[in-house]
Amino acid sequence: MTTKIAKKKGKVTARSLMKDLFSTLPLDLIYETFGHLHPLDLLHLARTSKMLRSHLMSKRSISIWITAREAVIPPVPECPKDQSEPQWAMLLFTHDCTICGSPRIQKVDWNLRLRGCETCFKEHIIYSRTASKAYPDIEDLDTVLELLPWTNTGGWAHGHSSSRKFYLSTHIVEMAEIVEDFQLRIDAGVKGARAEFDEFKEKKKASAAEQSESGKELKEWALKAARMRHVTDDQLKDERKQAMVAKLIDLGHDSRDVQKVADTWRYRSRNIFDRTTPLSDSVWKRAKPKAEMLVEEAKQRRLDIERWPTREARRTVAKSRYATFKKTYDASPDKLLPIYSAFINLPMIKEVIRSDGDDVSPDIFDDAFDKLPAFLDEWRRDRRVELARILLDAQVPPGAVKPDPIAAEQEGFLSLATSFFSVCGRWSRYDQTTTHWMTTMHGHFNRSDGYHPTFPIPKVNYEDINCIHAVPESFERAKLLIELVGLDPKTATRLDMDEIDARFWCTECSVLIHRSTNVARNWRNCIMHLNFHGVTSPWKGWEVLTLEDRATIEKLESNASSHQVIGWNTVAICLEGTAVNLRGLPFKLEAAPPPADI
């Protein structure tokens, strides 16, 4: 053979080599060699060249297909009479749609010998009662249908059987042509055509009935084969998992963490533990990094649970020390400081809480609290600069030169009377020494991007800058308030406004209600009241109380000892003696109780 091939002139191709192979070796030897292949390999081989296809698809090669099929493990059913061996191999071992060729198709109708995708089943499976509408040109449709194999699963049934009969559209068209040809011969008076047609019908009816029965048996076999395949797959997966568990334990990992990953974390470790591929050296090399990463994560979670009592005790100690620290830090606990949930997650604090050991004494936080003042100074400076930037963005008109937030903060920008913010929710506490807040009744109460509670809520989380904003229209209305007392809005501070301590009527409310029931407000309460009327409606301004009205209001205010401190929680009082708290609820002021004897 080598000599003959060598004598060939020109380029040697695979086709020429295959031709020489068939011309040199005995055909029986070639067929015997092919018989050792899997049926799927034979299908692939038949698609490589016309020569191989002509040999493998011929009737004389049927022994190759039978030998290959009988060698398959686990065994597969015998080839039905209505199928050729290549057709049967294609139905069993390929996963392409028989009609359109779409890959990875699992759905098989064994009655029709059809592997099909959902689209093709819906398009080509025809219900017997609607076939006349689909094929109005076929005259003797009932005769055609009774000669065809049928299934009891429709294209839209999603695999559920019924008592109805469904047919394949290509079968209907092909059989209609055959029946029409017989009818033409009968009408033409061809001798024996009627008897031949009757014999053909009896044969096809018997074949269709036989195909229907064999379809039931094949369906049962497919279900059993699927169950066996699942059992085999589970065994292979379990063997791989146990092998990986043993290797991870040999590497020094705790068996509790390894079993946690292998058994409980299946949704995360599926790609490495829960597979049927045997754990060879190359497979282990690829899976090892991810497996160790998951085991290490499981270890950290286990340690977190085991150390939780100690860490919780340390958090309690840290909270107590932080409360004491705030009382001495800068001589005011109301300074702009992190809330507890933010403080406990500071790197220096978190490191102590998560450190090894069982020590829960306050002394373990000494180093962290020694560094805390310097850290908080920087933390506060960053937050104050960010708050200044929010105000400048709202107060400076578009196109104008915007001052530097760092310089503005250093020059006391946040202490101005116009430096106030809106925050999500009502009745939030305020920071008297750095800024004061305007709560919002409009805009944030029913926000489309999330629910914000109305009352009560804890102190504003300064870490959540997104929950703090400024409303440009409110600043203009606040400037009118400051100008009424003779101060410059550009330089007036909150302390200046507190020192004047004026009282105002809301002109907008004066239009809506009687003067005797209108509410007199201090300047802070006026700022809170801004959003009550909304920022889009025209603003009628403020009015300073007359000396007579101011005297009446001051007398009423003095009757309530709980309202002596000027701040956001100061109630607003009307001339008839009724006060309105921040929730908008009226109540009668009572005289202050006499001082208790000491």
Side-chain angles (χ1 to χ4, degrees), residues 147-405:
L147 304 180
L148 295 175
W150 54 272
T151 180
N152 57 4
T153 305
W156 297 83
H158 302 289
H160 299 290
S161 302
S162 67
S163 59
R164 302 175 180 179
K165 292 185 178 183
F166 300 87
Y167 299 87
L168 186 61
S169 60
T170 55
H171 290 175
I172 296 176
V173 173
E174 293 172 358
M175 185 58 69
E177 293 177 355
I178 296 174
V179 172
E180 183 180 5
D181 183 61
F182 272 112
Q183 291 294 345
L184 291 175
R185 293 175 61 193
I186 293 172
D187 294 342
V190 177
K191 186 179 180 180
R194 172 66 67 179
E196 185 178 351
F197 182 44
D198 293 339
E199 183 182 356
F200 173 79
K201 288 195 296 182
E202 294 299 325
K203 181 179 179 181
K204 283 298 180 182
K205 289 179 182 179
S207 176
E210 183 180 354
Q211 186 166 333
S212 176
E213 289 299 321
S214 67
K216 297 178 182 179
E217 297 175 359
L218 290 172
K219 186 175 181 179
E220 294 178 1
W221 165 82
L223 293 175
K224 293 179 181 178
R227 296 191 193 101
M228 292 179 60
R229 187 163 55 251
H230 286 311
V231 172
T232 303
D233 289 348
D234 290 342
Q235 292 176 348
L236 294 174
K237 291 176 182 178
D238 187 65
E239 291 175 0
R240 172 176 171 135
K241 182 179 73 172
Q242 296 304 326
M244 291 190 67
V245 167
K247 285 184 177 293
L248 289 169
I249 294 176
D250 290 342
L251 291 174
H253 295 287
D254 194 299
S255 60
R256 294 173 296 177
D257 304 326
V258 177
Q259 290 295 340
K260 181 76 173 179
V261 173
D263 297 336
T264 309
W265 291 12
R266 295 188 65 184
Y267 68 99
R268 296 190 57 192
S269 60
R270 182 178 303 143
N271 291 335
I272 54 176
F273 283 89
D274 197 23
R275 301 192 68 176
T276 58
T277 307
L279 191 66
S280 62
D281 292 339
S282 59
V283 172
W284 170 242
K285 184 178 180 180
R286 293 192 300 268
K288 179 182 174 183
K290 184 175 181 180
E292 289 194 298
M293 179 191 70
L294 292 173
V295 171
E296 186 63 27
E297 185 177 344
K299 176 183 177 181
Q300 293 301 323
R301 292 194 182 186
R302 175 176 57 83
L303 293 178
D304 286 344
I305 295 174
E306 293 176 354
R307 297 171 181 172
W308 183 86
T310 301
R311 292 176 178 177
E312 191 63 21
R314 289 175 178 174
R315 291 187 185 95
T316 303
V317 171
K319 183 178 182 179
S320 177
R321 287 201 59 171
Y322 186 50
T324 305
F325 171 83
K326 289 195 296 184
K327 294 178 181 179
T328 58
Y329 176 64
D330 219 0
S332 173
D334 291 328
K335 288 288 186 180
L336 179 58
L337 295 173
I339 60 176
Y340 170 70
S341 61
F343 161 77
I344 212 69
N345 285 306
L346 294 178
M348 62 184 68
I349 304 299
K350 195 173 183 179
E351 182 180 356
V352 177
I353 293 175
R354 298 181 66 88
S355 60
D356 297 335
D358 299 325
D359 190 359
V360 295
S361 65
D363 299 340
I364 62 175
F365 291 98
D366 287 345
D367 292 341
F369 275 86
D370 290 342
K371 301 175 183 177
L372 192 58
F375 175 85
L376 289 181
D377 287 342
E378 182 178 357
W379 185 92
R380 291 177 60 193
R381 183 167 57 253
D382 293 341
R383 295 313 188 270
R384 290 169 64 89
V385 169
E386 179 63 17
L387 293 175
R389 184 196 63 77
I390 294 174
L391 286 172
L392 291 171
D393 288 345
Q395 294 183 8
V396 178
V401 179
K402 188 182 301 181
D404 180 36

Side-chain angles (χ1 to χ4, degrees), residues 528-586:
M528 280 191 62
H529 184 65
L530 281 174
N531 248 25
F532 179 80
H533 297 288
V535 296
T536 57
S537 60
W539 181 250
K540 295 180 175 58
W542 308 97
E543 180 184 351
V544 181
L545 269 67
T546 63
L547 294 178
E548 182 183 356
D549 290 343
R550 175 64 186 264
T552 303
I553 293 298
E554 285 182 347
K555 183 178 179 180
L556 292 171
E557 288 180 346
S558 65
N559 291 337
S561 59
S562 61
H563 306 142
Q564 297 300 314
V565 179
I566 299 299
W568 285 106
N569 291 328
T570 303
V571 297
I573 304 174
C574 62
L575 292 174
E576 68 176 15
T578 302
V580 179
N581 62 19
L582 295 183
R583 299 187 184 184
L585 303 176

Side-chain angles (χ1 to χ4, degrees), residues 16 23 30 101 112 134 214 230 326 376 409 420 425 491 498 538 571:
S16 63
S23 63
I30 296 176
L112 299 178
S214 67
H230 286 311
K326 289 195 296 184
L376 289 181
E409 188 276 327
F420 56 85
T491 59
D498 288 342
V571 297

Side-chain angles (χ1 to χ4, degrees), residues 369-557:
F369 275 86
D370 290 342
K371 301 175 183 177
L372 192 58
F375 175 85
L376 289 181
D377 287 342
E378 182 178 357
W379 185 92
R380 291 177 60 193
R381 183 167 57 253
D382 293 341
R383 295 313 188 270
R384 290 169 64 89
V385 169
E386 179 63 17
L387 293 175
R389 184 196 63 77
I390 294 174
L391 286 172
L392 291 171
D393 288 345
Q395 294 183 8
V396 178
V401 179
K402 188 182 301 181
D404 180 36
I406 298 178
E409 188 276 327
Q410 293 174 349
E411 295 170 1
F413 178 64
L414 290 178
S415 64
L416 296 179
T418 53
S419 295
F420 56 85
F421 302 84
S422 296
V423 295
C424 300
R426 299 175 63 188
W427 328 128
S428 57
R429 293 177 58 189
Y430 67 99
D431 189 335
Q432 293 179 344
T433 58
T434 56
T435 186
H436 57 274
W437 308 93
M438 179 183 68
T439 59
T440 59
M441 296 180 66
H442 300 277
H444 274 258
F445 177 51
N446 285 321
R447 291 182 61 179
S448 59
D449 58 342
Y451 173 74
H452 292 258
T454 52
F455 58 84
I457 63 172
K459 187 172 181 179
V460 174
N461 186 349
Y462 295 103
E463 287 68 36
D464 191 5
I465 295 295
N466 292 328
C467 206
I468 302 172
H469 72 288
V471 182
E473 294 83 359
S474 298
F475 297 127
E476 299 302 320
R477 298 177 182 182
K479 289 178 182 179
L480 298 176
L481 190 72
I482 298 171
E483 290 172 348
L484 278 178
V485 298
L487 296 179
D488 184 359
K490 296 181 179 180
T491 59
T493 65
R494 297 191 305 278
L495 294 179
D496 295 335
M497 293 295 292
D498 288 342
E499 185 176 351
I500 294 176
D501 196 21
R503 295 294 184 273
F504 305 86
W505 302 117
C506 172
T507 310
E508 191 82 17
C509 291
S510 299
V511 177
L512 302 175
I513 58 178
H514 191 268
R515 181 175 177 274
S516 63
T517 57
N518 196 3
V519 177
R521 307 174 185 275
N522 68 359
W523 81 276
R524 291 178 178 269
N525 201 290
C526 288
I527 296 297
M528 280 191 62
H529 184 65
L530 281 174
N531 248 25
F532 179 80
H533 297 288
V535 296
T536 57
S537 60
W539 181 250
K540 295 180 175 58
W542 308 97
E543 180 184 351
V544 181
L545 269 67
T546 63
L547 294 178
E548 182 183 356
D549 290 343
R550 175 64 186 264
T552 303
I553 293 298
E554 285 182 347
K555 183 178 179 180
L556 292 171
E557 288 180 346

